[in-house]
Amino acid sequence: MSNEAIKTDNELEKISPATDIVETENGFYMYMDLPGVGKKDLDIDVEENVMIVKGKAATSVIEGEKYLLQEFGEGEYVRRFTVADIVDSKNIKANLKNGVLELFLPKIPEAKPRKIEVSYS
Amino acid sequence: MVIDLGSVYNFPYEFDKVFNEVFNPRQYKRGKASYPPINIGEDEKNVYVHAEMPGLAIEDMDIEITAKDLVIKGERKLPEGRYFRQERTSGVFQRIISINTLVDVDNVSASMKDGILRIIMPKAESSVPKKIAVEIE
């Protein structure tokens, strides 16, 4: 039984989700398109400096529905990121809304830009 | 001497892109097809249109239906800021879907879940197939 489950997992098409990364003074915002992925099917793992995002997209088909045209389907979103040392990886925040995963990766205080005061003499 | 560090900085990204295009052809492909990608299905009672539109709310789009076509249009805006990497598509989109079945235009409904739009169009009475009893002599 457990072998069967693994098999179906492997059969799902792997999709690398389109990702935007925006840098601010305090950290990095990441936006990842994960249409069809619900909260329970999303998995984010951070191990040392590697972050893995996995999500299963559910099929949109309704019971009894016959497809006439299909341009997208079910699949598994997988993407692996190397997190820079300047990120405080213990405080990564995630929010899933309308099929977009928003991640905030705060910078460690030492990495934040400092203003240098210039004095006149 | 001034060295343009920008080009050096881009190198890992450019390399990554070429690598992914060769070994993972599915990546980035979604942006190249018509936007949004759709699935069309039907059963005896309804015609269904599903569209993959992550990050959009029902308020961000216009859905119009005439006797012949279904038009989905809107604009996808991305957050402003200094982009480190940008792969998601943005801008104005429009998709026109021809329907060759008569639908009950007044009872069309649309909903959005996890970035997938679902439009349910009930078939008009006249286009629901009727069984004709054939008598064999």
Side-chain angles (χ1 to χ4, degrees):
Chain A
M1 212 38 205
S2 61
N3 276 340
E4 272 172 34
I6 291 162
K7 202 178 158 201
T8 44
D9 260 16
N10 289 339
E11 279 165 4
L12 275 179
E13 191 182 4
K14 298 270 187 292
I15 310 157
S16 182
T19 307
D20 286 351
I21 304 173
V22 178
E23 188 180 359
T24 67
E25 271 183 26
N26 298 323
F28 300 91
Y29 286 93
M30 291 175 70
Y31 303 93
M32 217 178 285
D33 282 347
L34 300 168
V37 179
K39 215 168 210 167
K40 60 173 175 24
D41 301 318
L42 180 70
D43 205 21
I44 307 165
D45 276 323
V46 185
E47 249 176 70
E48 296 206 4
N49 61 346
V50 178
M51 179 171 74
I52 304 165
V53 178
K54 277 186 191 174
K56 250 179 243 165
T59 170
S60 61
V61 71
I62 296 167
E63 221 186 305
E65 181 187 352
K66 270 183 286 173
Y67 270 155
L68 307 170
L69 170 80
Q70 190 178 11
E71 293 179 352
F72 68 93
E74 46 180 353
E76 190 180 18
Y77 292 96
V78 183
R79 196 143 179 190
R80 191 183 292 260
F81 296 91
T82 307
V83 179
D85 293 339
I86 57 165
V87 167
D88 180 5
S89 57
K90 285 194 181 73
N91 288 310
I92 295 175
K93 285 187 177 65
N95 180 32
L96 184 67
K97 197 190 164 196
N98 288 340
V100 175
L101 173 68
E102 196 183 311
L103 289 160
F104 177 61
L105 292 80
K107 286 182 189 171
I108 53 170
E110 296 84 55
K112 285 178 190 166
R114 268 181 303 150
K115 258 236 153 67
I116 298 164
E117 296 290 332
V118 180
S119 58
Y120 291 98
S121 57
Chain B
M1 198 175 98
V2 177
I3 303 166
D4 177 17
L5 277 170
S7 58
V8 181
Y9 194 64
N10 273 335
F11 170 73
Y13 174 58
E14 290 300 322
F15 181 79
D16 194 35
K17 213 167 113 182
V18 171
F19 183 85
N20 278 322
E21 270 167 19
V22 174
F23 294 101
N24 189 2
R26 182 66 199 267
Q27 188 171 28
Y28 305 118
K29 232 181 186 174
R30 299 201 150 198
K32 285 173 193 160
S34 340
Y35 190 86
I38 55 165
N39 289 344
I40 303 174
E42 68 167 353
D43 59 18
E44 276 174 21
K45 285 181 182 162
N46 304 304
V47 175
Y48 303 96
V49 173
H50 313 269
E52 211 179 46
M53 312 166 98
L56 280 153
I58 287 274
E59 306 87 73
D60 301 331
M61 58 185 118
D62 265 330
I63 301 163
E64 284 166 20
I65 185 157
T66 65
K68 273 186 180 168
D69 310 297
L70 172 74
V71 182
I72 305 169
K73 56 184 171 184
E75 190 179 356
R76 192 180 187 219
K77 289 175 191 151
L78 296 183
E80 282 181 18
R82 205 177 112 203
Y83 276 83
F84 202 70
R85 184 189 274 252
Q86 184 168 17
E87 293 166 3
R88 300 196 303 153
T89 45
S90 64
V92 178
F93 62 85
Q94 172 170 294
R95 220 166 154 183
I96 303 167
I97 300 145
S98 306
I99 312 154
N100 51 13
T101 312
L102 277 176
V103 293
D104 184 358
V105 177
D106 298 324
N107 287 312
V108 172
S109 63
S111 62
M112 195 92 196
K113 198 196 164 209
D114 296 335
I116 292 179
L117 170 75
R118 172 180 288 169
I119 300 168
I120 301 173
M121 297 179 282
K123 287 183 184 173
E125 202 102 313
S126 57
S127 65
V128 175
K130 279 192 195 98
K131 278 234 163 81
I132 298 163
V134 180
E135 278 177 39
I136 301 163
E137 287 178 18

